[in-house]
């Protein structure tokens, strides 16, 4: 296969930034080279050194003066909610019942699921996201469409058919046995095929009976390497209703713990209103709280205490995500802009190094996939995003006075969106330019 050599400013993280001046936490090459071959990064470093190691027929693409970073990772979104986005609702439960559940019913039709899957991957690529963790609908057809399209695009994706057997319309219900059987079929058909990862996906405790939670526990025991994804502590009415459904549990988090679902592969969407006990339990289990700022603001769910959870004596592992369609943007840049504002409202500071760490290496670590993605290290997947901080006239004007890398990152996060994504490379291939 022909090698591709990218030239530009390379930026990637090696550890969690401790401050705005923590230059040990990242690698930055002002004239960098990134050599990709057969889907993998084979060399990364100063351009002159990497160029000297490249094959004579390597195709060189000059991205100067743009920034080259690991592709963004979105830790939580709903593939069947592309046409739910921007729905006018008072709160989470009204939004689910009025818009989301009726829309998800349509995914029983393969043709609809396939059509939306095509758009889904187009949007991810357009916004520089190269890996995402998604909920499909309850229908196996939706998971089949999701994974088939991921394979076609050669993207590293995590996803699962949601299991839900109560408190939703008939067209969206499985049964404990059916949810178990279909998830096993999906694992057999798709897990490890291409770059696919199947996640065990009980939607949330409200829509699963105790019998279904037991079936989920059985799956988690049989497939301990798989991710588990669900929702936790998003909205006060949701918390109250959930705890009424599981009166024996100490609190919402304890419901999942009782069914063996609180572990280091479990991704809990939201976690806005955790008690100290719940945060301790999350920390002890190394479970991941996935912050979805545009969704939390859009649905009025609350202000996620990101910095407070990170700095606890018992810190909670964090992911960041769009939560389409409760979320209002496919862009991880827009997402981190809103995350920043939420911390401002809480009297906290989220510095731009932390933001870009979270979107790349931080999310990769929370997925236990940092040996493959979220980095520009030699031997890892060639999933890369190229960013232009002067993408619009307004951004270009501001760039005239930007002096440092962190100022540039902050501008990109504050004003950037898909227009700032010059190119998205998926497994070494320019995917955005091909849309
Ligand atoms: Zn969600």
């Amino acid at each position: 296969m022909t090698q591709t050599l990218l030239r530009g400013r390379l930026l990637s993280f090696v550890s969690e930034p401790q401050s705005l001046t923590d230059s040990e936490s990242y690698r930055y090459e002002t004239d960098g080279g990134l050599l990709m071959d057969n889907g993998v990064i084979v060399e990364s470093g100063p351009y002159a050194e990497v160029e000297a190691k490249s094959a004579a027929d390597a195709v060189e693409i000059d991205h100067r003066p743009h920034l080259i970073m690991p592709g963004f990772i979105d830790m939580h979104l709903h593939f069947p909610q592309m046409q739910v986005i921007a729905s006018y609702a008072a709160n989470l439960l009204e939004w689910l019942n009025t818009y989301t559940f009726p829309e998800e019913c349509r995914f029983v039709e393969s043709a609809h699921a396939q059509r939306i899957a095509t758009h889904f991957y187009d949007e991810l690529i357009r916004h520089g996201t190269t890996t995402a963790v998604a909920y499909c609908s309850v229908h196996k057809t939706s998971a089949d469409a999701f994974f088939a399209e991921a394979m076609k695009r050669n993207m590293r994706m995590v996803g699962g058919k949601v299991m839900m057997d109560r408190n939703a319309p008939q067209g969206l219900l499985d049964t404990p046995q059916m949810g178990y059987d279909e998830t096993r079929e999906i694992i057999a058909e798709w897990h490890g095929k291409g770059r696919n990862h199947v996640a065990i996906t009980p939607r949330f405790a409200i829509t699963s009976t105790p019998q279904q939670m037991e079936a989920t526990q059985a799956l988690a025991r049989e497939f301990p390497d798989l991710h588990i994804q669900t929702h936790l502590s998003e909205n006060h009415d949701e918390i109250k209703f959930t705890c009424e459904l599981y009166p024996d549990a100490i609190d919402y988090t304890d419901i999942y713990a009782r069914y063996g679902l609180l572990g280091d592969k479990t991704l809990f969407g939201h976690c806005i209103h955790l008690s100290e006990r719940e945060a301790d339990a999350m920390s002890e289990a190394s479970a991941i709280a996935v912050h979805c700022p545009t969704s939390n603001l859009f649905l009025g769910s609350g202000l996620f205490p990101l910095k407070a959870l990170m700095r606890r004596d018992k810190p909670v592992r964090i992911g960041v995500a769009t939560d389409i369609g409760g979320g209002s943007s496919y862009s991880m840049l827009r997402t981190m802009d809103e995350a920043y504002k939420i911390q401002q409202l809480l009297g906290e500071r989220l510095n731009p190094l932390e933001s870009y760490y979270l979107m790349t290496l931080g999310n990769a670590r929370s997925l236990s996939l940092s040996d493959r993605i979220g980095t520009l290290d030699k031997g890892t997947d060639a999933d890369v995003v190229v960013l232009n901080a002067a993408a619009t006239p307004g951004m270009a004007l501001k760039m005239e006075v930007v002096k440092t890398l962190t100022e540039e990152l902050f501008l990109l996060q504050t004003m950037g969106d898909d227009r700032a994504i010059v190119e998205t490379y998926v497994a070494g291939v320019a995917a955005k330019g091909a849309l």
Side-chain angles (χ1 to χ4, degrees):
M1 203 174 163
T2 315
Q3 293 182 334
T4 305
L5 172 61
L6 306 185
R7 185 174 191 178
R9 290 181 294 135
L10 301 186
L11 174 65
S12 62
F13 288 86
V14 293
S15 62
E16 186 180 319
Q18 300 303 311
S19 72
L20 195 54
T21 54
D22 183 2
S23 55
E24 300 290 303
S25 65
Y26 61 89
R27 287 198 200 107
Y28 181 49
E29 288 289 347
T30 50
D31 186 9
L34 191 77
L35 188 63
M36 310 186 291
D37 193 0
N38 208 15
V40 172
I41 295 169
V42 291
E43 290 293 341
S44 174
Y47 171 76
E49 287 175 23
V50 174
E51 198 272 338
K53 290 177 186 163
S54 64
D57 66 344
V59 175
E60 183 172 330
I61 302 167
D62 192 347
H63 281 300
R64 289 177 298 172
H66 302 323
L67 266 178
I68 299 175
M69 288 195 69
F72 297 145
I73 301 167
D74 185 343
M75 292 275 283
H76 178 127
L77 78 172
H78 297 258
F79 144 64
Q81 294 179 14
M82 290 191 80
Q83 294 182 309
V84 177
I85 194 167
S87 292
Y88 186 71
N91 56 51
L92 170 70
L93 299 179
E94 182 192 315
W95 173 85
L96 277 173
N97 290 317
T98 311
Y99 302 103
T100 308
F101 287 158
E103 172 58 27
E104 289 195 11
C105 287
R106 299 171 70 198
F107 283 74
V108 68
E109 302 284 347
S110 287
H112 181 67
Q114 283 162 14
R115 172 171 175 258
I116 299 297
T118 305
H119 288 289
F120 181 74
Y121 289 96
D122 285 354
E123 283 309 303
L124 293 182
I125 289 164
R126 189 168 287 127
H127 288 85
T129 298
T130 49
T131 289
V133 185
Y135 290 66
C136 301
S137 73
V138 72
H139 316 99
K140 183 171 179 294
T141 44
S142 73
D144 289 340
F146 173 85
F147 286 119
E149 192 65 28
M151 266 187 91
K152 213 154 112 189
R153 313 261 183 153
N154 197 16
M155 286 175 79
R156 187 171 296 284
M157 296 293 291
V158 184
K161 166 209 126 69
V162 299
M163 290 180 274
M164 47 197 293
D165 66 344
R166 66 171 166 184
N167 292 321
Q170 195 57 40
L172 279 191
L173 298 180
D174 56 11
T175 65
Q177 190 63 44
M178 191 177 153
Y180 172 85
D181 290 343
E182 289 189 345
T183 300
R184 291 200 81 206
E185 282 169 42
I186 291 163
I187 294 166
E189 282 170 43
W190 296 110
H191 187 68
K193 303 280 169 63
R195 302 170 72 200
N196 285 332
H197 300 253
V198 174
I200 299 164
T201 310
R203 185 179 203 118
F204 64 157
I206 286 180
T207 49
S208 287
T209 59
Q211 294 71 32
Q212 181 156 69
M213 296 291 266
E214 282 166 17
T216 305
Q217 180 170 26
L219 286 166
R221 278 201 187 120
E222 273 177 83
F223 303 99
D225 294 338
L226 263 54
H227 294 97
I228 300 167
Q229 58 178 344
T230 190
H231 295 83
L232 171 64
S233 198
E234 179 174 2
N235 161 299
H236 292 298
D237 291 340
E238 171 225 15
I239 296 167
K240 187 167 170 281
F241 184 27
T242 309
C243 291
E244 284 166 11
L245 291 170
Y246 289 88
D248 295 341
I250 309 167
D251 47 40
Y252 198 163
T253 302
D254 186 48
I255 297 169
Y256 294 120
R258 281 170 183 240
Y259 293 99
L261 302 177
L262 188 65
D264 63 358
K265 298 298 283 283
T266 311
L267 314 172
F268 288 104
H270 305 300
C271 302
I272 301 169
H273 309 288
L274 298 179
S275 66
E276 286 299 304
R277 193 214 75 80
E278 290 179 288
D280 282 350
M282 292 270 300
S283 178
E284 282 157 17
S286 298
I288 295 102
V290 182
H291 179 32
C292 307
T294 70
S295 171
N296 297 167
L297 294 174
F298 183 79
L299 292 171
S301 301
L303 305 176
F304 177 74
L306 174 74
K307 293 285 290 191
L309 288 174
M310 287 169 82
R311 119 181 125 234
R312 296 174 95 248
D313 290 339
K314 293 180 178 175
V316 175
R317 295 170 76 197
I318 301 289
V320 289
T322 63
D323 191 28
I324 297 297
S328 53
S329 172
Y330 291 91
S331 167
M332 288 305 293
L333 296 171
R334 304 288 351 104
T335 297
M336 295 317 294
D337 181 40
E338 299 301 300
Y340 173 81
K341 293 173 190 170
I342 288 174
Q343 294 314 298
Q344 288 290 94
L345 286 170
L346 291 170
E348 302 271 9
R349 303 297 302 281
L350 179 67
N351 84 54
L353 292 179
E354 291 176 302
S355 288
Y356 286 79
Y357 165 80
L358 284 169
M359 283 187 263
T360 57
L361 184 63
N363 272 353
R365 284 179 169 176
S366 290
L367 276 175
S368 308
L369 285 174
S370 56
D371 60 331
R372 300 297 343 141
I373 56 172
T375 144
L376 297 178
D377 289 353
K378 219 168 136 169
T380 62
D381 296 358
D383 293 337
V384 174
V385 63
V386 183
L387 298 157
N388 176 12
T392 67
M395 291 172 79
L397 194 64
K398 167 71 186 182
M399 262 306 271
E400 290 177 10
V401 297
V402 161
K403 293 189 178 62
T404 65
L405 175 65
T406 48
E407 285 173 2
E408 180 183 356
L409 293 175
F410 197 53
L411 164 60
L412 264 168
Q413 171 189 302
T414 307
M415 296 182 77
D417 51 31
D418 56 316
R419 293 169 294 180
I421 309 298
V422 175
E423 188 52 272
T424 306
Y425 292 89
V426 173
V429 176
K432 180 165 179 174
L435 290 178

